[in-house]
Amino acid sequence: MAGILIIAHAPLAGALRDCLEHIYCGLPARIGAIDVMPDCDVDALEARARREIDRLKGENGALVLCDVVGATPANTAARLTDMADVRVLCGVNLPMLVRAVCYRATPLDLLVEKAIAGGLKGIQTVEAASPSLLSCPTEHHAATNCHHHQ
């Protein structure tokens, strides 16, 4: 199972991890988050990220999710791609993260495709009184059926 590391501007990484903990009624295994502060030391940040990847990485690698292309979190993550079986995606959103969690037992390249698809599908225009938005699955149902949210 692939590990997932979220690297984003504070407090986004931790908030996304907390959302997963809420959705799944507990934090799934091998999920990490690094909140990047405005005054961070980029060398220390990279060293911390490498340690986290080593800790989280599963038999099929690790996926690093970042917020903004070209910013410090993404630039740091880009340096992690020299590690074996590590992939980096930018533009993280909650649907992308949930999809990544659901498919992390798949080969790493397929996981990347599924995560991107989940992130894109999560971006939609909402019309007034949209019936699909008026009903909310129970927490238990959401935690036990990953594909329901996809």
Side-chain angles (χ1 to χ4, degrees):
M1 183 179 323
I4 297 174
L5 176 60
I6 309 158
I7 305 176
H9 292 90
L12 183 58
L16 286 169
R17 182 197 55 224
D18 292 348
C19 286
L20 279 183
E21 190 169 9
H22 172 83
I23 291 167
Y24 291 100
C25 299
L27 188 64
R30 295 190 175 148
I31 303 291
I34 298 175
D35 281 314
V36 179
M37 304 307 286
D39 59 347
C40 75
D41 175 303
V42 293
D43 293 327
L45 176 62
E46 180 181 349
R48 180 176 174 203
R50 287 183 182 278
R51 286 191 306 273
E52 277 294 284
I53 289 293
D54 287 339
R55 182 180 73 81
L56 299 170
K57 196 172 182 183
E59 59 277 359
N60 61 330
L63 178 61
V64 181
L65 302 175
C66 303
D67 51 2
V68 180
V69 174
T72 301
N75 292 339
T76 300
R79 290 188 223 121
L80 304 176
T81 60
D82 68 351
M83 300 175 77
D85 299 321
V86 173
R87 302 291 187 281
V88 175
L89 292 178
C90 291
V92 66
N93 60 27
L94 187 56
M96 175 188 284
L97 180 56
V98 170
R99 177 71 66 94
V101 169
C102 290
Y103 284 94
R104 63 198 181 128
T106 64
L108 195 53
D109 290 332
L110 179 60
L111 170 58
V112 167
E113 290 176 24
K114 294 293 189 178
I116 291 170
L120 292 172
K121 282 184 171 183
I123 301 170
Q124 302 205 7
T125 301
V126 176
E127 302 295 329
S130 176
S132 65
L133 296 176
L134 297 178
S135 63
C136 181
T138 65
E139 289 296 322
H140 175 72
H141 181 71
T144 59
N145 188 356
C146 289
H147 302 288
H148 173 78
H149 297 289
Q150 312 310 316

